[in-house]
Amino acid sequence: MSAPVLSLRGVSKNFGGVRALVDVDVDVREHEVLAVVGDNGAGKSTLAGVIAGAFRPDGGEVLLDGAPVVLDSPAAARTHGIAAVFQQLALVDDLDVVENVFLGQETLRGPFLDEIAMEREAWGLLDQLAATVPSVRQPVRTLSGGQRQVVAVARALLGAPRVLVLDEPTAALGVRQTAEVLNLIEKLRERGHAVVLISHQAGDLQAVADRIVVLRLGRVHGEFSGDTSYEDLLAAMTGAVRPARPGGPARAASGPEPRERRAGGTGAVHR
Amino acid sequence: MSAVQQRGSLTQIELAGVTGLSPATVSNIVKELTGAGVLHTSPSTRSGRRALQVTLARNLGLVAGVHFGSRSMRVALADASMRVLADQRMPLAPDHRADTGLQRAALLVAEMVASVDAAPDELLAVGVGVPAPVDVRAGSIATVGMMRGWDGVVVPEVLEAELGAPVTVDNDANLGALAETRFGAAVGHDAVAYLRVSHGVGGGLVLGGRVVHGRAGVAGEIGHVTIDENGPVCRCGNRGCLEMYVGAGVLLSMLSESRGHLTLRDVIARAQEGDPGCRRVLFDAGQHLGVAAANLCNLVDPEIVVVGGQLAEAGEALLGPLRTALEQRTVPSTAGPVQVVASELGSAAEVRGALAVALDLARVSGSLGVSA
Ligand SMILES: Nc1ncnc2c1ncn2[C@@H]1O[C@H](COP(=O)(O)OP(=O)(O)OP(=O)(O)O)[C@@H](O)[C@H]1O
Ligand SMILES: [Mg+2]
Ligand SMILES: [Zn+2]
């Protein structure tokens, strides 16, 4: 098994009184889809933000190839090969596809942007994604949800990042576009990217994940292999399973104790 | 008519060959049916010679094919000449259930029909393939516990309610076998054995152009041929089935200790790059498949064995040892060893078969507007 590209060790993040992440350990490897699942408010987007430099953790550290790094902005994360597509795509509706792909990333291209070179590179990225975008000179406002998602991914792929974070990429998509995005994630994995896929739709995650981390109330509530059953994931998401110790397997909360109690004659104890 | 329908599209000369009619007669019939708006002709230059390509006119409607695999689903739309108009794959969770799976399939079909600018009522019929034995008449899986959550589900009932078109369902390897026989590697063969080696292992037999279903749909289930009667217990409930030696779960778990979580695709790619462990796993799988296929060949004596499913993408790394084991265990024939080839339609075989049975269904239910 390859060494992790990126690791979070004991990462915590608070927003005022809200503990969005608590003592989180996560490893991200190349050629792998790490899925993060959890209920609304579980801390998934905060985790994405920490990995992609949008949030500085209050505690713990971020390791890149085993060495501590400070990712104090998305731009800093990008220079370290980490890119993200956030839940809000942050595309500019009235700009066309090429302008959106290069938006805010002029630093990657030097001060004088050659329109033709940019257009060529945009097509190149979209081709890699086998995307069906009618024209790169069309305002993104005219594109479908799936096509907009592809443009956002193309933007993230600029500069060939090693780690790609996708926060809820299938939310608000039809089934056909969801299929496109899932195929795209498989392709990114095959090409060797480390993909961090965030969703609260367990079915979509299970379709493409190598590993699944369950977040609950900001804590890691278990790490599972990609072929874990839906019931086990749901149990971890809803808290029917105790948080696992780092590296250890998740344990069912309804283990020996309740059974012993029942055997002891208390009868109707149900959890 | 049915000759054009079965093959999708062919030249007038090929049509004469297939039907046994004279070229002049064929030419007259084609002219007449084109005038009636049933057929469509277009000039082509197949194999260097100019010819008239004959297809069914598109206004005869659409059919859909749906293939549920263990880890993905594939949906295709074709017109009445078997021209594929749309094709979409979707990865699925390992334990996808009938209710969500069928609902997604129905949504996907509906969205795809809309994407080719067709109205919902242009959908004439739907063919469905599932990776378990199917009682075709009942429209349900013919055994219990093979696909979680699918037991007792009457697939046509569910999909017909969603899509408003007649639905037929069959085992996916049976559909792959049919497609390879009609359009792929086994065209022109009368007795065809098809092995589908993917996440699970399935098989299909086509004799005289017809899929063999047997009593209740279990015919051809080569994945559950016994390799070792004391072997591990299979999902079907028996011991030491072929699938327990070459199913994806087994192959991948043999590698996970040393190589982490891989997909079948990863194993094939790594084997091609020279990874000895991945090559070994494919070699052993090929041998096991050859042993099982030999038993089948001794019983049926097919003219050709077509190997499909994702693992067939490994090519000779799998087929080489398969052939050797097969030849060692079949009764030597004066006709020489049976031909063993990789699928020609690849990952599209099953969905093409689903389209073909959908078109057959549209024809028998009369919705094509012409009888065969
Ligand atoms: N910028 C912020 N300021 C204040 N509180 C925040 C901020 N971002 C997140 N939070 C809070 O932190 C907690 C975790 O939020 P986060 O967005 O990470 O959850 P999530 O798992 O992504 O949820 P969802 O499924 O709704 O996207 C929530 O209680 C949220 O209200
Ligand atoms: Mg979120
Ligand atoms: Zn079995």
Side-chain angles (χ1 to χ4, degrees), chain B residues 280-326:
Chain B
R280 177 59 193 263
V281 160
L282 291 179
F283 184 93
D284 291 350
Q287 274 195 329
H288 286 306
L289 285 166
V291 171
N295 291 331
L296 177 71
C297 288
N298 280 332
L299 291 175
V300 178
D301 195 19
E303 295 167 20
I304 186 168
V305 175
V306 182
V307 185
Q310 218 181 90
L311 212 61
E313 289 166 20
E316 285 307 304
L318 183 82
L319 291 191
L322 193 165
R323 264 190 215 106
T324 307
L326 175 64

Side-chain angles (χ1 to χ4, degrees), chain A residues 78-99:
Chain A
R78 283 202 75 110
T79 60
H80 284 105
I82 303 161
V85 178
F86 289 110
Q87 207 162 352
Q88 303 79 20
L89 293 181
L91 298 177
V92 181
D93 270 352
D94 289 326
L95 297 184
D96 69 25
V97 173
V98 178
E99 289 163 332

Side-chain angles (χ1 to χ4, degrees), chain B residues 184-232:
Chain B
V187 166
H189 289 283
D190 193 59
V192 178
Y194 176 75
L195 306 187
R196 177 176 154 71
V197 200
S198 250
H199 287 272
V201 182
L205 286 172
V206 178
L207 301 178
R210 294 172 62 95
V211 172
V212 177
H213 287 104
R215 179 170 53 98
V218 187
E221 281 296 330
I222 196 167
H224 303 280
V225 160
T226 308
I227 291 287
D228 176 358
E229 58 188 31
N230 299 313

Side-chain angles (χ1 to χ4, degrees), chain A residues 243-264:
Chain A
R245 278 324 307 154
R251 285 214 297 139
S254 55
E257 304 126 76
R259 222 173 283 140
E260 272 164 29
R261 232 184 288 165
R262 227 170 288 151

Side-chain angles (χ1 to χ4, degrees), chain A residues 68-245:
Chain A
V69 280
V70 175
L71 306 172
D72 52 8
S73 69
R78 283 202 75 110
T79 60
H80 284 105
I82 303 161
V85 178
F86 289 110
Q87 207 162 352
Q88 303 79 20
L89 293 181
L91 298 177
V92 181
D93 270 352
D94 289 326
L95 297 184
D96 69 25
V97 173
V98 178
E99 289 163 332
N100 266 288
V101 166
F102 286 89
L103 187 69
Q105 305 195 6
E106 290 79 2
T107 50
L108 287 175
R109 305 278 315 166
F112 303 106
L113 291 174
D114 173 351
E115 283 289 319
I116 295 165
M118 273 169 49
E119 189 167 319
R120 204 178 305 132
E121 178 138 14
W123 270 125
L125 290 167
L126 294 170
D127 276 354
Q128 278 178 28
L129 304 176
T132 50
V133 174
S135 155
V136 292
R137 284 301 174 193
Q138 201 162 316
V140 297
R141 157 170 45 80
T142 63
L143 301 180
S144 73
Q147 290 168 336
R148 294 166 63 93
Q149 191 72 44
V150 166
V151 172
V153 173
R155 174 164 72 183
L157 283 180
L158 194 66
R162 295 164 72 194
V163 180
L164 201 68
V165 182
L166 304 173
D167 191 1
E168 301 283 1
T170 59
L173 296 187
V175 62
R176 200 161 147 247
Q177 293 164 355
T178 298
E180 283 297 335
V181 171
L182 295 178
N183 286 327
L184 173 63
I185 290 167
E186 284 194 341
K187 210 164 295 154
L188 292 169
R189 174 193 183 280
E190 241 160 61
R191 285 178 33 203
H193 293 279
V195 181
V196 180
L197 170 63
I198 292 169
S199 175
H200 56 260
Q201 301 226 281
D204 288 347
L205 293 183
Q206 286 176 287
V208 292
D210 293 286
R211 282 187 300 136
I212 303 175
V213 164
V214 176
L215 279 186
R216 182 170 153 73
L217 305 173
R219 292 175 191 272
V220 174
H221 230 255
E223 188 181 309
F224 300 85
S225 82
D227 41 27
T228 304
S229 77
Y230 180 69
E231 289 78 6
D232 288 350
L233 283 182
L234 203 66
M237 279 169 71
T238 56
V241 173
R242 277 205 204 109
R245 278 324 307 154

Side-chain angles (χ1 to χ4, degrees), chain B residues 16 89 92 122 132 139 147 190 198 214 222 232 244 259 276 289 342 353 358 360:
Chain B
R89 174 183 179 273
L92 292 177
E122 287 183 56
M147 286 173 71
D190 193 59
S198 250
I222 196 167
M244 296 308 291
R259 284 155 175 85
L289 285 166
D360 291 348

